[in-house]
Amino acid sequence: MAKPNVINADEMGHAVGLLVHDFRNPAATITANADFLQEVGLVDTDSVEALQDVKLAVGELRRGLDMLAWISRWLTGHVPLEAANGDVGMFLKRLERVDTPVPVTVEIAEGGQLYARGAQVAVEVVDLLLHNTRANVPDPSATVRVCQRGGHVMIEVEDAGEAIAPELRETAFTLEGQKALKGRLDGRYSRFIGLFAAAVVLDGVGGTIEADGERGAAIFRVFLPQARPTRPPSR
């Protein structure tokens, strides 16, 4: 019986990239047809609800494909997500004015230097963590705090769920650690190996992520390196 070849990270990254591309096509087709059916109208409530379920499921699928695309680019030595520098507090404060996976309160420390490298990545990672809250916490909501910590901007996401178990925290954001998280209330597994994807996209801008907290006060902390604000050229 033929055995699969041992492949390196670059080859795996390209293979994952091909899969992402191939899956996006049918996902786009389903979305387009669901939108069409919604526009023409359906005759009964059950059909309308079923169509809405389809659209939500495809939205989740596309979210997962985005994360696999990050991992693909990381494996092939590219920056997983190009992101501009900026004021992290300004980016995250907007969460209180838009739809989020769970209700969120944003607390911005005053007087700190919150300008960071790849600040827009913070929005993607916090969104991922809020999805984690929705999946793991009954009656979910979260608090997002932003402050300066040494030479970094720290983003803390806290909810009332189970914290990741201390023995899992070292590997919770690694590829090999995902199978240990799955199926444990104190594992806080994120769909589409999301915690690994978070670490990957942060790595692309020099950031990191860690877990902390206790039962009823679960915490994720994200660290982004500070950057100097770009000043417009003098005239």
Side-chain angles (χ1 to χ4, degrees):
M1 180 183 292
K3 295 183 180 180
N5 294 327
V6 176
I7 58 178
N8 63 29
D10 185 68
E11 290 169 339
M12 177 61 76
H14 284 292
V16 172
L18 290 173
L19 288 172
V20 169
H21 179 270
D22 292 343
F23 277 122
R24 286 196 195 278
N25 288 330
T29 300
I30 295 170
T31 299
N33 281 279
D35 288 342
F36 170 75
L37 291 173
Q38 193 168 45
E39 288 177 7
V40 300
L42 297 172
V43 295
D44 62 273
T45 301
D46 288 343
S47 296
V48 172
E49 291 179 354
L51 181 59
Q52 187 61 30
D53 287 343
V54 169
K55 294 188 72 173
L56 290 172
V58 175
E60 275 291 278
L61 174 61
R62 296 178 79 148
R63 190 173 70 87
L65 289 173
D66 286 343
M67 286 188 271
L68 286 179
W70 298 344
I71 293 170
S72 168
R73 288 193 286 268
W74 179 76
L75 286 170
T76 54
H78 295 87
V79 175
L81 181 63
E82 296 288 348
N85 298 349
D87 188 315
V88 176
M90 181 187 70
F91 283 128
L92 294 182
K93 191 64 178 176
R94 297 171 185 165
L95 294 176
E96 294 186 323
R97 304 191 298 273
V98 299
D99 288 335
T100 52
V102 300
V104 61
T105 300
V106 181
E107 300 175 357
I108 311 295
E110 296 182 3
Q113 166 55 270
L114 303 181
Y115 202 90
R117 178 182 169 191
Q120 288 180 320
V121 163
V123 177
E124 299 290 346
V125 173
V126 169
D127 180 74
L128 189 156
L129 295 175
L130 295 179
H131 275 91
N132 182 284
T133 295
R134 186 176 71 179
N136 289 283
V137 182
D139 191 21
S141 63
T143 300
V144 177
R145 304 181 185 93
V146 185
C147 67
Q148 181 180 349
R149 174 76 65 89
H152 292 80
V153 176
M154 185 183 78
I155 305 106
E156 188 173 85
V157 179
E158 180 176 348
D159 62 40
E162 292 272 1
I164 292 181
E167 68 271 18
L168 296 176
R169 293 175 187 175
E170 285 293 319
T171 58
F173 306 99
T174 65
L175 182 59
E176 61 271 21
Q178 301 311 297
K179 61 184 177 182
L181 305 182
K182 185 75 171 175
R184 288 183 57 160
L185 290 176
D186 58 0
R188 295 296 297 257
Y189 176 79
S190 277
R191 185 178 288 180
F192 313 116
I193 57 174
L195 295 185
F196 174 61
V200 162
V201 76
L202 285 167
D203 182 67
V205 294
T208 58
I209 184 170
E210 67 180 28
D212 200 356
E214 57 189 7
R215 184 175 185 181
I219 293 172
F220 292 99
R221 293 193 186 97
V222 172
F223 297 89
L224 290 173
Q226 285 181 313
R228 291 187 176 183
T230 302
R231 293 184 175 88
S234 58
R235 294 182 179 179

